[in-house]
Amino acid sequence: MRDPIYTYCREVLPPSSVDQATSLSFTRAGASNLALARGNVLELYKIDLVLKGTTGNEAAGDDYQYNQNSVGGEEFDLPMIQERSADTTKRPQMHLVGRWSLHGKIMDMIAVRGSKQQGGVENLLLSFAEAKMALVSFDQGTQSIVTESIHYYEHEQLQHKTRNDEVSCALRADTEGRCVAMRIYDDQLAILPLTTGNDEAKPYTDSYVVDMRGETGVRGVRDCVFLAGYLEPTLAILHEPVAMWPGMLDTTVDSLVVTVVSLDLVRRSVSTLNSVSRLPYDSRTLVAVPDPIGGVLVVGASSITHVANGTVSCISVLNKVAARGIGVAMVDSIDDSNVSLGLVLDPHACACAFVGPRTAALWTQQGYCFLLTMDGDGRLVRRIVAKQVAGSEPSAETHAPVADTWEDVGVVPSCVAELRVSYDDDSGVSLDSLLLFVGGMAGRSILLEVEDRGSSGATGNGDATMEMDADFYGESSAVPASIGNNKETPEDRYRFTVYDELLGTGPTVAMEIGARSPATSGSEENLELITCAGNEWRGRLRVQQRQIQPEIMASFDVPGAPVRGVWTVRCVAEYNIGGVMQSAADSGSLSSLNDRFMVLSRDASTVVFSVGDELVEMERTGFFTKGPTISVAELLGCTRVVQVYATGLRLVNASGRETQSIAVDAGQEVASAEVSDPFVLLRMSSGDYVAYEAIASSSELQLVPQVPAILGRACHLSLFRDTHRVLASNRDWAESNRDLHVFTEDHDNDDEFDSLYADAKQPQQRRKRLTSLVGNKRQTKKKRDATNTGAALADGLGGPLYAAVLLTSGDLCILRLPDFEPVWTMQRFDSLPSTLIPSLVDIDESSDEPLGMRLDQVRLAQLGGDSIETLHLVALTTAGELSVYRAFGFGSSDDPMGLALRFTRISHDVFAYEPEYERRVIRAQARQLAAYAAWTEADKERLEERAVEERLARERALEKQRREEAAAVADWGEDSDDEGMVEAPKPAPVVVPPVEEDDLYADADDSRDVFGEDTAEYEKPFLNDGDVAKPVEEVVEEPAPAVEEPAEEEDPLDLSEPFVRAPKLTILENVSGYTALFVSGARPALVLVGSKRYARVHPIRLLARVPATLQPVGTSSADFDAVAAGLLTPWRAVVGVARFHGSGCSHGFVALGQGGTLTIAGLPASSNSSLRGGMEFDSPWPVRCIPVGTAHPGIAALGGVCFHAASGSYAVAAASMVRFRIKEPNPDIAARDANAPTGADQPLISEHERLDLSTTSVPPAVARYHVDLLSPVTWETIDSHGLDANEHIVDMQTLTLDAAQTATGSKQFLCLATAFVLGEDVASRGKMYVFDVVDVVPLPGRPQTNRKLRLLYKEEIKGSIGALGELRGNLAVSLGSKILVRSFRSNESLETVAFLDCQAWVKSLAGFKNFLLIGDLVNSLWFAGFQEEGPTRLQVLGRDFCNQLPVECADFLVSGPQLELVAADAYGNLHFFLYAPRDAHSLNGQKLLRRGEYNLRSRVTAIRRLVAKPLSSGQQACLVATASGALYAVSMLPEKTFKRLHRINTQLVHGVEPLAGLNPREFRSVPIHQRQYHAPRRTVLDADLLVPLYAHGSLSLQRETAQRDGTTADRVLRDVAEIERTVSFF
């Protein structure tokens, strides 16, 4: 019997669609915060005011002014984009504070007032499905959310045999903050009273439930909202006493009622105040109208009604058919001023917010934006005028967008939130700004400012209005009581300015797996995820890849021994002016200076290059070249370069000359170095530290006489310059935050600290000064000259200097230089807790037993801003695990001179656990030395001769180019260097040419020899010296000694000692506009901060290959496997990185591969607004948003996307919105209108070919589909094939079918299935298309147009097609309940070879070998087999006997010989089945055995099966995409691994306190009312708790949970790492 099958499920990409939004003061009193709900993810933003143009990574806003150009003020133009001037005006920006993943989908949320102890801070009330509420608050000491209370109403006596629908669990808050109401189970309200006094310890009292049917007789509740201006909480309820449907319109057209009730919170009773009946039947939602008008707006599909004080004042109809839903009694209240709009609303998909007393902004489900103005006198509304300000014309035949649709305020809304931001302008005047956040369902959410220009700002002249930019933040005049006779229109008064936006990848309509390059489409390393997102005409393609693919400028190998380290430095020349040496550049221009030197270190030598238009090797230089280099850095304001090597250090000026040389003591060697102007800290081989300080007056280094003893216990040290002075002492921080309630005298927030160190001293004991370790520096230090000290130079460089010291005991200490004074300490930092809180006790010399996983390096870095929130602490373990902490200010009175500083950990999903990396790299480097030593001198001479020939050819080409340029510009003089600049000797140039795209990401075994025959000429760097070639061996001044290959079982590393290898955490000051931190190692990554001020960790993938000198003599690169030979590790490791800024690469970096390959690269081009096709890094995955359809201005929803691997192009099913017309039902009349012959023998004209009938004045909008072929380079439409009207694309796939004309016998085709939708009374039809992508001659100047769609076959079928699939080179087609297997071998027609009759409607087909998985939309899952030999037939092998499972997607999971079936139903649940004919429960295989289930909480839109890594594992895993934009990985697990991880996961479920009191296990369980089976066995592992803990969680918690299970944390980490490598597809 085969082993049991177990399944692994994990969310790899979180939901991105914004579902809910609310504004509140959450982080502190008076803060402007915005809380967003994205599925089960809660995000918290704060609104900060920043100067325009201060950061290059922030999204550029667009101003829109609505001006009136027509007479009478009735019509106006669409938004006009105004150009921004380069001023210092502040603008609001959204900065991400934190994000938390909850174990439940957030249905709604609202802000409530906090208690007195919270100091005016508001709390957040969340509602979840199945009648649950949770009140959470923000802990300022840990920067996390805390659960205050839990309220649940899952009682059987409340359910009444009903379930919550999509509008249940909606929260409504009283305008005065007295209570909150939540609708549960039809007509019941859960009331949570809020405390109004100031002495209560909690902000609420006991809740209760009100049955509206029993209390007030209200039944059929649709919506409710609180009203303002009442003494008691007053609720307006929209309900339907008698349920009706559209068939009752002839007798009942006005069935809805608005009832106003008052809530008595003390007596817990409800009383009715007034009621309004006979409202339009299609009304769905209520919107409260503020004073002075009051009342509510009742929003329906065809009308907007104003109700106040028990009367209907106005019913504004939006189309011509709206009157059918309005009774005779309400005819007098009808306002028909908006009939011409022809607008049909979906009230639940609309969002409305008041921007003024009488004006509201309405966003519709199509993305249109209207300004609604209530015209009348006082509280009486006579009419509601709707003015469209964004979107296309609703009544137009085609819904083509106007202007640039992504630049306006049109958003497909999901929610809207109002914010008030107060600030002072340049003149010191306090201003108040109204902001609106509009959450988008189509992937785009915006933050806009609403400027009320007031009656004083409007003159009635549109041109004069637009010129008033100087009054943008002017004072707003008083609102008049009546505007009935005022000529001022809303478009004159209000101005919208879009300042910020959020990008989302949902809702996902379709998903495809593509490749970045056609030549490498089959490589799993080059895969990218393509999703169709959005709806209506705002559909876009999202191109995502988990790893950053840098743009390679050059990749080359330096001849000689392998390179082990790389550094680039800037250096400016000095001039002697009046006896004073002054540099050629000031501090403000240093960041724009090009790099001057590149230093390469080998095992026995160092090579120096001059950086310019070319890399030129410097032969005679002041650098130390007779041994390896440890570190190279800039000093003295980039006027000197310091080089540190094993026996000393040197100072070099801009000309490359040595100015100072210092040798270390005899018997000592430098192990590592850390440099930050003006200090140089050297760690010696004995473990002691030696410090040098650069003196500005003498431009030399001076030994620091006394180094604190604490550095003797340091295993790693890094320097950090506080350029923006964000760090402050506790005393200074308390003075600047005196009005905030965040300064603590006690330590109530140190619970985590106390639990970790139970045996330590009491927290209330004041911290002792570390005099025993540091010494009394203040008494013993000597007076220094203010002009020569490093402290004075540090002030000139822009801030104090700190040292982050990681001690051998696992403690972390921050010292302030130059006194080395400890200002912040943290005990047992090596446990990596979630919050870093400074210790209050002395550091104990005898620390606890160290953890098994020891830290390697730490570094402080200021990333992406000038505030303390952009200060990050990055820690790296010896196994490559990465932890990122963000700093925040929090004071303590126990240590006034200490830093008011804490850190909170930022979650990320980069799992880089590789404990064997260090050992295997050392072994690989030893083998590389042996391989290089095996080359004979003759072999090296042959390589050198080849390099000489290529050099001469290049020189001739360059010389010819120079002569041509000189002849073209004869009057130009020769270039000359600046005076005073010492000319460096002319060295040998190494040209750094670009690399072909095909070679950028080649695998190690496929890499080309840079000196081999198959290598292109521009890939071969060469050396020269005038006209005489220099021998290659002279590049290495000391020959590399031959090193014997260590035995595999030997361990060259001593893990008890710290690693002293090259730095793995490198700060890159400016990489494509980002300040990033590069993490070197087995799985390199980039930590960067974008415009949202939140650190993102993205893996980065670079070239991996070995140079020709490391390969065996006579071996070709194509046949040589460097990994198998031990010259490379299996990972694409990066051993060194440095900044690179020169003429060939602006603001990039140079990376050193483990084989010695240098790669000069930069980040992909990013756009300020990623919606224009630029790469956006400020997201969980790097994403590029592609606006598809440049050839079709009216692009609408994207219905599907396919990748054609043979051509590397993409096919997109796009559509434009048109009006639907009913076809002529009489065939004779249709033939007469079409001038077709009639008669009994004549065929009838198909319904879709008949003429339209004008049967209604408001025809619905439908999609008109077409297939677009996109270029993979420019992403523009290069070809298109339009479909007939009313022909909808049902399925589109690229399938590999048998083809007799090809040599391989198969070919990839684009197959398209369509269906005509003409109404329920017309028989459905469909068509089948087969396309081929062929090569053609491109258009002049457009090389990307070299491919076209070629229609090979088209067939009209009776009945609509449900799904397509591939089965053994044949095409599987579903027609309703029938499945046809058709052959396309002749490439001319489809021939049916087999068929199968199912039961209802086949929605999904998936083939694997000879098996076909059939998903029925009604009757669950079918498993069939295809017989090719003999009589071909399709036979059912087994099926699910439960015929109530609506399957929408299905596919296979493969693990060697084991096969598992996965199916997704219409409710967002995954079901796993097993075909086991030998099991007695399967009835000889007729019944599919159910193995488990997994709830995704969102509808599944696509499932794609991919080959798992490594390829030898024989596994195939699945990626599951949901409508919310989330992505899940599903794979199979071995039994032992599953049981071990399942036990640990159970500990986490019961042992870790979940946020908001939610149950993690219940979150992934199928709801009871959706279950079709008995309780399943525990065969599915939910890794959403397990992986985050072991990826970047606390090391102490990892060890604790593993020990409880009887295993080790290392064993669990290895299991998780193996699984994660399996599902790491991108």
Side-chain angles (χ1 to χ4, degrees), residues 1293-1297 1307-1311 1364-1366 1370-1372:
Q1293 296 187 33
T1294 52
L1295 304 176
T1296 302
L1297 306 179
K1307 188 176 182 181
Q1308 195 173 43
F1309 299 95
L1310 175 64
C1311 301
L1364 299 176
E1366 179 186 344
N1370 300 310
L1371 177 63

Side-chain angles (χ1 to χ4, degrees), residues 878-956:
T878 55
E881 297 174 287
L882 184 67
S883 296
V884 181
Y885 290 85
R886 183 173 65 177
F888 63 95
F890 196 86
S892 173
S893 60
D894 294 322
D895 187 10
M897 300 306 298
L899 293 179
L901 179 65
R902 289 186 180 184
F903 293 91
T904 180
R905 186 171 57 228
I906 294 178
S907 61
H908 62 86
D909 61 347
V910 175
F911 192 81
Y913 178 75
E914 300 293 347
E916 301 295 328
Y917 167 71
E918 294 287 346
R919 295 184 179 92
R920 300 187 71 168
V921 165
I922 290 180
R923 295 190 184 107
Q925 291 180 351
R927 294 188 180 100
Q928 290 173 6
L929 288 178
Y932 178 73
W935 278 71
T936 63
E937 295 298 328
D939 297 327
K940 295 178 181 179
E941 288 179 0
R942 284 198 300 269
L943 289 178
E944 182 266 336
E945 291 174 358
R946 186 171 201 144
V948 169
E949 294 176 359
E950 295 173 355
R951 173 191 55 82
L952 296 176
R954 289 181 184 276
E955 283 190 347
R956 287 192 296 268

Side-chain angles (χ1 to χ4, degrees), residues 623-640:
F623 287 92
F624 174 77
T625 58
K626 297 185 179 299
T629 297
I630 295 177
S631 179
V632 181
E634 304 153 356
L635 280 181
L636 297 172
C638 293
T639 60
R640 293 293 186 273

Side-chain angles (χ1 to χ4, degrees), residues 638-656:
C638 293
T639 60
R640 293 293 186 273
V641 175
V642 59
Q643 180 192 20
V644 181
Y645 46 94
T647 58
L649 63 163
R650 293 186 182 185
L651 281 184
V652 181
N653 60 11
S655 62

Side-chain angles (χ1 to χ4, degrees), residues 1384-1398:
F1384 195 63
R1385 182 176 296 274
S1386 63
N1387 290 165
E1388 295 180 356
S1389 62
L1390 290 172
E1391 299 177 359
T1392 302
V1393 297
F1395 72 94
L1396 177 68
D1397 288 327
C1398 295

